[in-house]
Amino acid sequence: MTPDLRRFRRGPLLALVVIAAALVPLRAWAQDEAPVDAPAQAKPDEQDLEPAENAIAGEFRPARGFQVLETDYGSLNVSLYGLVRYVNQLPGEQTFIDHLGRERTVKTRNDINWHRTMIWFSGFALTPRLNYTLTVWSLPSTQQTLAFGNLQFRFNKALTLGAGIGPTLTARSMQGSHPFWASSDRQMSEEFFRGGFSSGVWLKGEPLHRLTYTLSVNTNLSQLGITAANDSRDMAYSASVAWLPTTGEFGLRGGLADFEEHQRVATRFGFSVAHAREDRANELGLAPNETQLRLSDGLLAFEQDALADGVTVRKLDYEVLALDVGAKFRGFTFQGEYFFRRLSDFLATGPVPQDSIFDHGFFVQGMYMVVPKYVGVYSTGSFVFDDFGRRPWELSGGVSVFPMAARSWRLNLHFIYVDRSPTGSNFGFYTAGQTGPTISLGTDILL
C-alpha cells in the first residue's frame, strides 16, 4: 500500500519541534558540528582536509581553508571549490515521447566547461557562538553568479539557530556531503525527487547521543531563478533526522569514500520530509521561473501544456519523504535512499487529468578504495516508479583518483547509461528525456 504523503505535511514537523525542545540539554557539544573556534592551520603532514569548524547544515560548506584573521572579537577564513569537466551525452541527436504522446527533442551536450566556482568567507563575529558564512557561487556554463550567506548562533549541544540561504531538507545529499559524492554531481533519482536551496531559518542539534535533527522553514522549495518580486505567500517546511548508532560518525562530511578505512562498521540511518506549496513564479504566457520540479517524462511541472494541452499549472503541493541508510567498513562504502513524492492540489488555468501524481524510487551506490587514500572504484544505480508508467532508470560507475592522498583534489572518470531521464539541468549529468550513455572526465579541488 503506497503511503499517503499528506500525513507528512505538519505532524512530524510539529512533533520534532516538541521533542527537540523537551530534550535540549543546557551544555555539551553538537555531534553534527565541529567546535566553534576558528579553524586551525594544517600541520605539514596533514594532507586531508577537515571540515571548517564553522560548517553549516547544507551543501554550501567550506573546507579548512586559509586562516586570514583571528582575534578575540572575530575571525576570517577563506576557502574555495572549483570544478572543470568534459561531458558527452550520446547519441548526439535524439527525441522522446512525453506522457501525452507528443514528440520532443533532446538537447544533448558535448562540452568542456569550468563548471562551478565557490568561494567562502567564514568565521565568527563578536562571540565564538555566532558564526557567519558568506558564499560566492558561480556557474559559468549558464552565466550565473550569486553572493549569499547565513548566520548561526550555537546555544548548546542540542540547539543551533541559523538564518540565511540553506537547503530544503529533501535528500541526505542536501545536508553537507558535497562534493564527496561518487562523481561531481548527484544521481538521477536524487536530482528528480529533491528540492533546492532557499532563504530560511533552521534549528539543528543533537538532543540524544548520536541522534541529530534539522528543522527548516524556507521561502520556497528552490530560490534559484526566483526573485523576491516573484515570491508567493507560501512557505516550504522540511525536517531531517540522522542516527549513527555504531561509531557516531560517517566519515568526513558523510561522503561516499571510506578514506578512514573504518575497522568498525560505521552506520547511518535517517529520513527527510518536506512540504511546499509551490508557485510557477511568473506571469501566465511566460516561461516559469520555478524550474525545480519536473514530471517523470522530464517536463517542467509549471510549463505550458505540461499536464494537458492548453493548460498551465499555476500552483501545486509538493510533498516528499526520503529514507536513507549507509555503512562503511575497511574501505567499502554502501549508501542508498528511497523517495516518495506526491504532487497534488493543482491550481491550473483549466482541467487536468490527474488529481495528484505519486512517484517513488531509489538509488543505491557502493565504493571500494582499491588503493587506500589514492584510488576508489564505484558503481551506482537508480530507478523511478512513476504514475505515467515510464519507469526511468540508470546504471553508472567510475573511478576516482586522489593524487595527493587527500579528498581535496580528485580526478574522476564517470560513465552513465540512462533510460528516459526524468530530470535535466545544466548543473548535473542529465538532460530531460535522454536515453543513452554519458561520459564525463573531470577534476575538482576543495581547499
Side-chain angles (χ1 to χ4, degrees):
M1 180 177 63
T2 57
D4 187 352
L5 293 190
R6 297 175 189 276
R7 300 176 183 174
F8 298 112
R9 288 188 183 179
R10 298 178 180 84
L13 295 176
L14 180 59
L16 284 169
V17 172
V18 174
I19 292 171
L23 296 175
V24 169
L26 297 179
R27 56 188 176 184
W29 293 78
Q31 174 66 35
D32 67 334
E33 184 170 305
V36 293
D37 297 332
Q41 291 298 304
K43 298 178 182 178
D45 59 346
E46 292 179 344
Q47 294 195 53
D48 202 15
L49 298 183
E50 295 300 318
E53 299 184 15
N54 47 32
I56 70 167
E59 183 171 314
F60 308 117
R61 178 172 173 175
R64 185 192 301 273
F66 304 93
Q67 194 70 6
V68 177
L69 176 68
E70 184 174 3
T71 72
D72 292 340
Y73 301 102
S75 66
L76 173 62
N77 182 271
V78 179
S79 177
L80 60 90
Y81 173 77
L83 165 65
V84 58
R85 72 184 182 197
Y86 166 69
V87 173
N88 188 4
Q89 298 171 335
L90 298 168
E93 296 183 4
Q94 54 180 289
T95 61
F96 74 98
I97 305 299
D98 69 20
H99 74 281
L100 294 177
R102 301 167 297 193
E103 185 177 39
R104 294 177 177 262
T105 299
V106 177
K107 189 180 184 305
T108 58
R109 296 169 52 195
N110 179 34
D111 54 52
I112 301 171
N113 273 302
W114 179 267
H115 185 66
R116 186 179 290 120
T117 301
M118 300 189 77
I119 305 172
W120 295 275
F121 303 91
S122 58
F124 73 89
L126 302 178
T127 169
R129 293 183 179 274
L130 178 61
N131 287 261
Y132 69 89
T133 301
L134 305 178
T135 304
V136 177
W137 173 90
S138 178
L139 196 71
S141 57
T142 59
Q143 298 296 300
Q144 291 173 295
T145 299
L146 297 172
F148 50 87
N150 72 82
L151 296 173
Q152 292 194 112
F153 189 87
R154 178 181 168 273
F155 293 94
N156 49 53
K157 178 179 182 178
L159 184 60
T160 293
L161 173 63
I165 295 286
T168 51
L169 307 168
T170 51
R172 186 58 56 193
S173 66
M174 302 289 289
Q175 301 172 59
S177 58
H178 177 267
F180 302 142
W181 300 333
S183 184
S184 49
D185 270 293
R186 292 180 175 87
Q187 309 302 306
M188 182 193 77
S189 60
E190 288 179 291
E191 279 292 291
F192 176 64
F193 288 108
R194 74 176 180 92
F197 296 82
S198 180
S199 296
V201 295
W202 58 87
L203 300 174
K204 66 176 186 176
E206 185 192 6
L208 299 174
H209 185 50
R210 299 181 176 179
L211 181 71
T212 64
Y213 76 94
T214 308
L215 308 173
S216 185
V217 179
N218 297 78
T219 298
N220 47 31
L221 193 62
S222 176
Q223 191 170 327
L224 190 63
I226 300 177
T227 65
N230 300 132
D231 286 336
S232 70
R233 293 182 57 83
D234 301 299
M235 298 284 184
Y237 305 90
S238 59
S240 186
V241 170
W243 179 43
L244 301 100
T246 54
T247 62
E249 50 76 45
F250 201 67
L252 185 58
R253 299 185 183 231
L256 185 62
D258 184 20
F259 254 65
E260 294 78 12
E261 294 285 319
H262 284 81
Q263 297 304 301
R264 183 184 176 195
V265 178
T267 53
R268 181 182 64 198
F269 303 91
F271 72 86
S272 304
V273 61
H275 166 79
R277 180 67 173 167
E278 281 292 279
D279 187 283
R280 73 188 308 269
N282 208 350
E283 298 177 3
L284 293 173
L286 301 177
N289 288 326
E290 205 287 8
T291 58
Q292 185 66 40
L293 296 180
R294 290 183 180 269
L295 309 178
S296 63
D297 58 3
L299 302 188
L300 295 172
F302 290 105
E303 69 179 88
Q304 185 175 340
D305 305 327
L307 286 180
D309 289 332
V311 175
T312 302
V313 175
R314 299 174 60 185
K315 287 179 179 287
L316 61 78
D317 279 5
Y318 161 92
E319 296 162 308
V320 71
L321 169 66
L323 309 173
D324 65 275
V325 61
K328 290 184 175 182
F329 184 60
R330 296 185 178 179
F332 286 95
T333 304
F334 168 81
Q335 294 190 68
E337 194 159 11
Y338 206 106
F339 302 89
F340 305 88
R341 188 192 76 168
R342 186 182 298 277
L343 305 179
S344 62
D345 293 341
F346 302 113
L347 176 61
T349 58
V352 295
Q354 297 90 357
D355 293 329
S356 66
I357 299 173
F358 178 70
D359 303 317
H360 59 105
F362 65 90
F363 80 86
V364 291
Q365 55 187 6
M367 185 174 189
Y368 178 59
M369 298 300 295
V370 294
V371 181
K373 298 187 183 299
Y374 283 96
V375 181
V377 295
Y378 60 85
S379 179
T380 72
S382 60
F383 199 102
V384 175
F385 302 91
D386 62 311
D387 259 2
F388 299 148
R390 299 175 65 81
R391 303 297 189 262
W393 60 271
E394 69 160 346
L395 289 175
S396 65
V399 57
S400 290
V401 178
F402 306 90
M404 304 298 294
R407 277 168 284 207
S408 55
W409 179 27
R410 171 179 58 179
L411 308 174
N412 176 254
L413 174 64
H414 188 59
F415 177 84
I416 304 169
Y417 186 89
V418 62
D419 184 67
R420 289 165 290 186
S421 173
T423 188
S425 73
N426 290 317
F427 292 80
F429 289 125
Y430 306 96
T431 295
Q434 176 198 358
T435 293
T438 295
I439 302 170
S440 170
L441 179 63
T443 181
D444 55 353
I445 58 170
L446 176 67
L447 299 175

